Amino acid sequence: MTRIAAFYDVDETIINIKSMFSFLQFFYQSCDGQDKGRSRFESMMKSFQTMAKERSRAEVNRYYYQQFKGFNRNSFIDMTQSWFQEVHQSDNFFINETLETLRWHQAQGHLIVFVSGASHEILRPLASLLNVQHILGVQLETQDDLFTGAIIPPQTIGEGKAEAVKYFMEKHQICARESFAYGDHHTDIPMLQCVGHPHVLRGDDVLEQWASENNGSFIEVIH
């Protein structure tokens, strides 16, 4: 028996924030205090922005997780839960137009899968809140419960998202032709190409052009 799934990018597709950076600010301020933590976060964001001009999203993503090298995983999980409790109650946290589609898929009995460059630990509180059972996120390598700063392939960015989605569909006997995917950035195209029903949020010209040429559907977000 084959099943139908709906694959969702998360940041700026389901929620209105970039979860990794939002969490990083919380992490620094929890570790260093408000002022020092904010200063450290702002400095790190400048480093990310400089890297992004010359390097790929995947490289920036790997550099991000190197910042947690030596940190205890259980403490990290506790911190992600505290962070989520703080941010998810803010106004406009969810993108309601996409959230409605997720609820519709759940009502149809479709499998819901988050596919993101954020780590499992960062995504888990949101998945629990929305009753999403499956996460294809970055897996952080540990040794003796401490992060090594490395990630375990596949890295769920760009083509890595497609690799993870294809493996998931094969493992869970998902019908690709009848399944759905949602994304907001052109790096989501490899994931969107895996299914018969790709949906894109407007705002990325490259992605919109791709959707127009590939029978993609558009989601109009009201801000």
Side-chain angles (χ1 to χ4, degrees), residues 52-139:
K53 294 176 182 176
E54 302 174 347
R55 302 186 185 183
S56 68
R57 270 196 164 196
E59 290 176 289
V60 176
N61 184 262
R62 283 195 294 272
Y63 181 63
Y64 172 89
Y65 291 112
Q66 290 170 7
Q67 309 313 308
F68 304 108
K69 182 179 179 179
F71 201 80
N72 180 273
R73 182 171 185 268
N74 290 328
S75 298
F76 187 85
I77 291 171
D78 290 342
M79 203 172 285
T80 59
Q81 292 172 342
S82 298
W83 159 75
F84 187 74
Q85 286 301 315
E86 182 175 297
V87 298
H88 92 272
Q89 298 182 47
S90 61
D91 293 338
N92 299 317
F93 179 73
F94 289 105
I95 297 176
N96 291 325
E97 292 82 355
T98 318
L99 188 61
E100 288 177 5
T101 68
L102 187 149
R103 295 303 192 200
W104 180 83
H105 285 298
Q106 288 177 321
Q108 303 306 309
H110 300 165
L111 294 184
I112 310 298
V113 187
F114 284 167
V115 190
S116 172
S119 74
H120 279 242
E121 294 84 356
I122 293 173
L123 294 169
R124 177 57 64 191
L126 175 65
S128 296
L129 180 69
L130 298 180
N131 195 29
V132 172
Q133 305 297 322
H134 302 283
I135 296 174
L136 301 177
V138 166
Q139 298 182 69

Side-chain angles (χ1 to χ4, degrees), residues 163-180:
E163 182 181 346
V165 165
K166 290 175 182 175
Y167 178 79
F168 181 91
M169 289 196 293
E170 181 177 355
K171 180 179 179 180
H172 293 273
Q173 296 184 299
I174 302 298
C175 176
R177 181 173 50 81
E178 296 185 25
S179 289
F180 300 74

Side-chain angles (χ1 to χ4, degrees), residues 142-175:
T142 60
Q143 185 171 18
D144 298 328
D145 292 329
L146 303 178
F147 291 130
T148 66
I151 65 176
I152 300 171
Q155 184 182 18
T156 41
I157 295 282
E159 291 291 344
K161 283 189 174 183
E163 182 181 346
V165 165
K166 290 175 182 175
Y167 178 79
F168 181 91
M169 289 196 293
E170 181 177 355
K171 180 179 179 180
H172 293 273
Q173 296 184 299
I174 302 298
C175 176

